Amino acid sequence: MRLAAFCVLACAAASAQQFEVASIKASTGDNNGSSGINTGHGRLDANNVTLQRCIIGAWGVGPHQIFGGPAWLSTDRFEISAKADQPTDDDALLNLMLRALLADRFKLALHTETRTMQAYVLEVGKAGAKLTKTGKSTPGGASTTTNGTNTGTSIHARQTSMDLFAKVLAREMVLPVVDRTGLSGDFDFNISWTPDRIRAAAPADSDLPTIFTAVQDQLGLRLRAEKVPIEVLIIDRAEKPTEN
């Protein structure tokens, strides 16, 4: 089972469409500075990112779903710029191309496993969801932007499914998040809260609610802890890339 899963991932990365040109350099940015990955029109630009952050974006998982790998996986930071031979706003395709780039330049090899672990289940609250369905969807119009400050975090979502929202939210939580809302289609919404780490350090510096209160009051949903089967990524190999 493990070998089969590894082969599927390796073959998928190898056969995925490649970026036409790509540049990877060590970042000089601060570990606590701004970082992120932007995609669109056939381009991918990653600023001050770790390899762990790239894996999170390419596979759509949270940091708690990645196991193994070298110690520098979540500490060393890089600047990555890549361009496809044709303009595209297909995020799924760009993520496959990012996987291929990581396999080529970082010699990344991994496999999947299913583990039963504690997670947050995202459900519709008793009073019903407070979400606005996207009117007319447009190609490349889907976006889910997360912004963080020293007082709070916000997610600005457009044309976003609940499955995608759960994955994005998982990046900000201490546990994985699983979508069990049963809500289909795409939605437009905003949510703002103060993470526990900020609240613990400076409880008086923000009047924003906790994520649990925000999900309930602002979206009409709820988060409930439960042990569930979760697909995780196991890092088998990763090497630091040569710069170019």
Side-chain angles (χ1 to χ4, degrees), residues 97-191:
M97 295 169 74
L98 176 56
R99 293 186 190 186
L101 178 63
L102 298 180
D104 178 43
R105 299 295 299 279
F106 287 87
K107 308 304 178 187
L108 178 66
L110 52 79
H111 67 276
T112 62
E113 289 183 5
T114 299
R115 297 183 178 182
T116 298
M117 56 195 298
Q118 198 78 0
Y120 289 121
V121 174
L122 182 67
E123 302 173 323
V124 174
K126 292 182 179 179
K130 304 175 183 178
L131 296 167
T132 301
K133 267 216 166 181
T134 300
K136 183 178 180 181
S137 297
T138 57
S143 67
T144 307
T145 305
T146 303
N147 295 306
T149 68
N150 58 358
T151 58
T153 299
S154 64
I155 294 177
H156 181 74
R158 293 295 178 268
Q159 289 185 210
T160 299
S161 68
M162 287 295 97
D163 182 62
L164 176 57
F165 174 52
K167 291 177 180 178
V168 172
L169 189 57
R171 301 173 190 175
E172 308 299 322
M173 306 290 287
V174 297
L175 296 175
V177 179
V178 178
D179 171 35
R180 285 192 189 163
T181 62
L183 300 174
S184 60
D186 296 333
F187 300 86
D188 300 335
F189 59 90
N190 301 313
I191 179 171

Side-chain angles (χ1 to χ4, degrees), residues 15 39 52 73 90-92 100 125 162 178 214 218 244:
S15 61
T39 60
Q52 182 190 61
L73 189 82
D90 186 337
D91 285 338
M162 287 295 97
V178 178
Q218 299 173 30
N244 74 328

Side-chain angles (χ1 to χ4, degrees), residues 17 27 45 60 62 65 98 134 172 202 237:
Q17 182 177 340
S27 175
D45 293 292
Q65 290 169 261
L98 176 56
T134 300
E172 308 299 322
R237 185 180 73 245

